Amino acid sequence: MTETEQVEGLRASTQRLEHSEHLQRALFAIADLAASGLDMQRLLEGLHRIVSRLMHAENFYIALRDPLRGTIRFIYFSDVADGQVYRPDQELSTEQLSDSITLRLIQLARPVRGPSDRIARSLGLTQGHGAGTPSADFMAVPMCRDGEVFGVLAVQSYEKGGEYTQSDEQVLAFVAGHVLNVVERKLGQEALERRVAERTRELALTNDRLQKQVRESERAVHLQATLYRIAALGHGQESNEAFYRSIHQAVGELLDVESFCIALVSEDGQWLDFPYYVDSSGAELVRRPMGRGMSEYAIRCAQTIRLESDAINALIAQGEVDAATYGTPAVSWLGAPLMGARGVMGVVVVQSYRSDLYYTQQDAELLTFVSYQIANTLQRRQQAEALQALNAQLEQRVQERTQELRRQIAVRERAQKQLKHQVMHDSLTGLPNRLYLRERLERALGAQKLDPACGFALLYLDVDRFKLFNDGLGHGVGDEVLRIVSARMAECVRAPDIAGRLSGDEFAVLLEHCLQPSQACMVAERIQARMAAAIEVGGRQLHVSVSIGIAMSNPSYRTVDQLLHDADTALYRAKAAGRQRFVLFDESLHASAMNVLDLEQQMRNALEKGQFESYFQPIVRLADGDVIGYEALIRWRHPELGLLAPGRFLPAAEETGLIETIDWHMYRLACQAAPDLLGRDKILNINISPCHFHSRNFPRRLLDLAAWAGVAVDRLCVEVTESSLLSDPGAAAQILGSLHEAGVRIALDDFGTGYSSLSHVHRFPLRTLKIDRSFIAPLGRGAQQRSTAIVSAVLSLAASLDLDVVAEGVETDAQRDVLLSMGCVHGQGFLFGEPVPATGLP
């Protein structure tokens, strides 16, 4: 390298160092500006001077973008050609700057350099490209942070020959970030100062309002306290003079009452008395005839009057007030009438003789309140005097009236006793009713809580088969039966024990001082023995019996309802065991009842979770074993106990009322599986619970379900048991008749076990008889003569009536052979297949 080249390199390095030093000084100057207390305009002018030291920047502007408002503001604009084009506080929308280089630079987020016309063309702008004179050279850089453009820093020159360089662009871009920080910092500081100033002004205004409210509140509290004191004075026992003086002192705390007067009208209305007055003018007020004074004027107007001297003179000129009676002229006069029961009874007056004291409307309202208290006190004291005069007369009248009331009270007590007896006793039997019995039970429970040795027993009774008496022989006979039963029951009870009628054919017996269950059982036996004798009602001899549930008291009972519930539970078990007996409630019955409740909740959960499943058992032709149909049977896949047969849960379902819901769930499952299961010629048998006979909509609902599942009506067979038909034969006949007319087959299940099998065959539209398994089991064994005779009779009956017969419970080949030899065509049982899901059938 030559010496000349080395010199040139040193000179270039020196220039770079000088340039870096200038740039560093500029940044220090910008930092000093940011820390100064200059306002925004002077700060921006300082920034302009700093940039001018780095490059030619006589024409300089700063544009800021508000991302939230979507506007642009030229916070600083200095241009020798255009002057001040934009105000610093002027916000411009993007529509207003749509054809400007500034907006396009913000959108593109990149620096530009060169003549403004050429830049405009490169940016796709029109010839004018916004406001301002075209410049010979223009340079602008975006002010960015985190990739987002917040403004533009631009310089321009109108003289040729002084073009900006790449170095100038880099310097301006470097400075732009620092300028953005300084400007935003200053703007934030100014906004904070504005908010502080505004908040200070708001706090000052709020403080002024609070001070005013405090003063008003203090005045209101003082006013309220004084008004309460004035109201309390009216209830004191002091003399009238002391009362007036206290009123004067209390009112004096609220307004100027140097002249205060109370005037009263005499009873005949002819005179005006002044029982209390204080007058600063020294005038003396004496009793005078009613005339044309100011007090009389207020009495005539019967309302609070507030007048000043001009108005008083006008009244004198009009003749409303007599100047001779008026007395010393007042500057301000205020009077409020004393209103009594019979009109105005007087007036309370305050007046001012000073030119600096005028009464206000608030003063008038206060004096009006005072007038109410004075008037009330005067009336009360007048009434007290009149009351004393009447007391003597009332004493005599009270004595006379007391004697009369005693006679009336005696009559009323007799009526109340009679009414109480009617309310607490049953009108039909004369026995205590449920209300009376509950009252006695409450007392018995209360006594046992105080003394656990005070035991008692409750017998809950129900007349067996009372519905037959009532429906078959009429309500008159039923009422007579109840009267006889109640009389016999009362004969078996000794005082203080009671027998009562709860409702219908339900009775109860409360045995007080009964400590042992054996005592209660003896009473129950005595009642049942007394009921054994026949009774004659309506020309008939009837035999009546009762079922009894017994509950013994114990400290665990908290309410009467708990005791009644347990006695009713025992009664239910007595009736279920065959009636005409008594059952003593114990823990096993309680546990059984709780098991039913737990099982009810589990069955509800099983319905929600789909744990009930449909199983199918084939019905076959005995000769060749061909399947002619299936009986749908329900199973419960219990999550803990496994697969449960119907006998484990259906009785509880019937007791809790869930049987209908479970049945319909079963019907839906069976019908869904039926199309693939039945083919063209097989029959689907489903079982009907007695509860469905109470729903007239059952046939339509079942037919709609079959149609929805695609099961032909003639492929459907409903099975009913003989016992279910006994619950309501009329309703059962109507329901089964509707199904028969629609084409559904009817089968009588467990045939031969009921009370009136032949009547069922005659009354209901049956298609099939299913012989109960109890008659099939003995077949094929030694002792089968009676079963053979019964089965043979059923087959003969069915043949004569053109009915199909299905033998249930066929489990051995011997049973099948005997049935075939007797002419039985169809059978069902474990010999041909156990109940399995539809997926398990061949």
Side-chain angles (χ1 to χ4, degrees), residues 646-656:
R648 295 283 297 277
F649 58 88
L650 284 188
E654 292 178 353
E655 184 176 346
T656 58

Side-chain angles (χ1 to χ4, degrees), residues 278-441:
V278 174
D279 198 304
S280 61
S281 67
E284 293 186 1
L285 301 177
V286 296
R287 189 185 196 206
R288 70 182 184 217
M290 292 290 291
R292 288 282 174 176
M294 286 295 296
S295 297
E296 290 90 331
Y297 176 71
I299 292 173
R300 289 198 305 274
C301 292
Q303 62 181 9
T304 301
I305 302 297
R306 181 170 59 91
L307 300 172
E308 296 176 359
S309 56
D310 293 342
I312 296 173
N313 293 331
L315 290 176
I316 294 174
Q318 296 170 5
E320 290 288 343
V321 176
D322 185 357
T325 308
Y326 171 44
T328 305
V331 174
S332 182
W333 190 92
L334 179 61
L338 304 176
M339 305 300 297
R342 294 178 292 179
V344 181
M345 57 189 299
V347 64
V348 56
V349 176
V350 295
Q351 53 188 344
S352 168
Y353 301 109
R354 295 164 21 203
S355 59
D356 61 340
L357 176 58
Y358 291 89
Y359 296 112
T360 65
Q361 181 61 33
Q362 289 183 342
D363 298 334
E365 293 173 356
L366 172 63
L367 194 63
T368 301
F369 178 82
V370 173
S371 71
Y372 293 156
Q373 303 306 317
I374 296 175
N376 289 337
T377 302
L378 292 176
Q379 288 185 95
R380 191 181 69 254
R381 297 191 177 194
Q382 292 172 358
Q383 291 168 357
E385 294 174 358
L387 184 61
Q388 290 178 357
L390 292 174
N391 280 339
Q393 301 177 12
L394 288 175
E395 284 292 339
Q396 181 62 30
R397 295 184 61 186
V398 165
Q399 292 179 2
E400 296 174 356
R401 183 58 179 162
T402 299
Q403 294 177 357
E404 177 64 24
L405 286 175
R406 286 174 179 171
R407 290 192 295 270
Q408 293 179 2
I409 289 172
V411 174
R412 182 173 297 178
E413 287 178 348
R414 289 194 298 270
Q416 286 179 343
K417 288 181 180 179
Q418 183 178 1
L419 179 60
K420 183 177 181 180
H421 183 274
Q422 293 175 352
V423 171
M424 305 294 282
H425 288 74
D426 176 48
S427 60
L428 176 64
T429 63
L431 294 179
N433 59 14
R434 178 183 291 271
L435 182 63
Y436 184 84
L437 182 66
R438 288 184 66 91
E439 181 180 310
R440 289 288 298 269
L441 285 171

Side-chain angles (χ1 to χ4, degrees), residues 540-683:
R540 293 173 177 267
Q541 273 201 344
L542 302 178
H543 293 273
V544 179
S545 63
V546 294
S547 298
I548 305 175
I550 304 173
M552 299 298 298
S553 65
N554 62 70
S556 64
Y557 287 122
R558 300 297 179 187
T559 65
V560 171
D561 290 329
Q562 291 176 332
L563 185 64
L564 289 171
H565 175 269
D566 288 351
D568 186 47
T569 300
L571 173 62
Y572 175 81
R573 289 305 177 95
K575 295 180 72 69
R579 299 185 178 90
Q580 198 174 353
R581 64 192 63 211
F582 62 86
V583 171
L584 183 67
F585 183 85
D586 56 18
E587 287 302 320
S588 63
L589 292 182
H590 177 75
S592 176
M594 295 303 297
N595 289 339
V596 171
L597 293 176
D598 293 341
L599 190 57
E600 177 186 3
Q601 185 58 45
Q602 293 179 19
M603 287 189 291
R604 293 185 185 277
N605 294 336
L607 284 169
E608 294 178 1
K609 298 177 181 179
Q611 295 174 359
F612 290 110
E613 299 178 3
S614 179
Y615 273 53
F616 298 89
Q617 185 175 29
I619 302 172
V620 303
R621 198 164 36 240
L622 295 176
D624 52 13
D626 286 348
V627 177
I628 65 166
Y630 296 95
E631 180 180 358
L633 302 169
I634 192 168
R635 295 292 186 270
W636 180 3
R637 192 167 296 282
H638 196 283
E640 298 175 358
L641 304 178
L643 193 65
L644 301 183
R648 295 283 297 277
F649 58 88
L650 284 188
E654 292 178 353
E655 184 176 346
T656 58
L658 282 176
I659 185 64
E660 186 173 1
T661 304
I662 294 175
D663 276 353
W664 281 110
H665 178 74
M666 171 64 185
Y667 299 158
R668 179 175 293 273
L669 293 177
C671 289
Q672 284 178 331
D676 296 333
L677 192 65
L678 301 181
R680 295 184 177 180
D681 56 352
K682 294 182 179 61
I683 305 298

Side-chain angles (χ1 to χ4, degrees), residues 717-765:
C717 177
V718 296
E719 294 189 11
V720 294
T721 62
E722 293 186 77
S723 59
S724 66
L725 297 177
L726 289 175
S727 61
D728 193 344
Q734 185 176 359
I735 296 295
L736 297 179
S738 299
L739 292 173
H740 174 71
E741 292 176 1
V744 178
R745 302 167 183 247
I746 312 297
L748 183 59
D749 197 10
D750 301 337
F751 185 75
T753 60
Y755 297 101
S756 53
S757 300
L758 295 180
S759 65
H760 295 157
V761 173
H762 172 73
R763 183 173 184 179
F764 299 104

Side-chain angles (χ1 to χ4, degrees), residues 165-184:
T165 65
Q166 179 67 30
S167 177
D168 293 335
E169 179 181 320
Q170 293 175 352
V171 170
L172 190 61
F174 183 74
V175 171
H178 295 276
V179 171
L180 176 61
N181 291 334
V182 172
V183 169
E184 285 188 338

Side-chain angles (χ1 to χ4, degrees), residues 631 719 749-750 770-773 776 806-810 828:
E631 180 180 358
E719 294 189 11
D749 197 10
D750 301 337
K770 299 188 73 172
I771 304 176
D772 187 71
R773 64 181 62 250
I776 305 301
V806 176
E808 292 185 299
V810 181
Q828 178 181 357

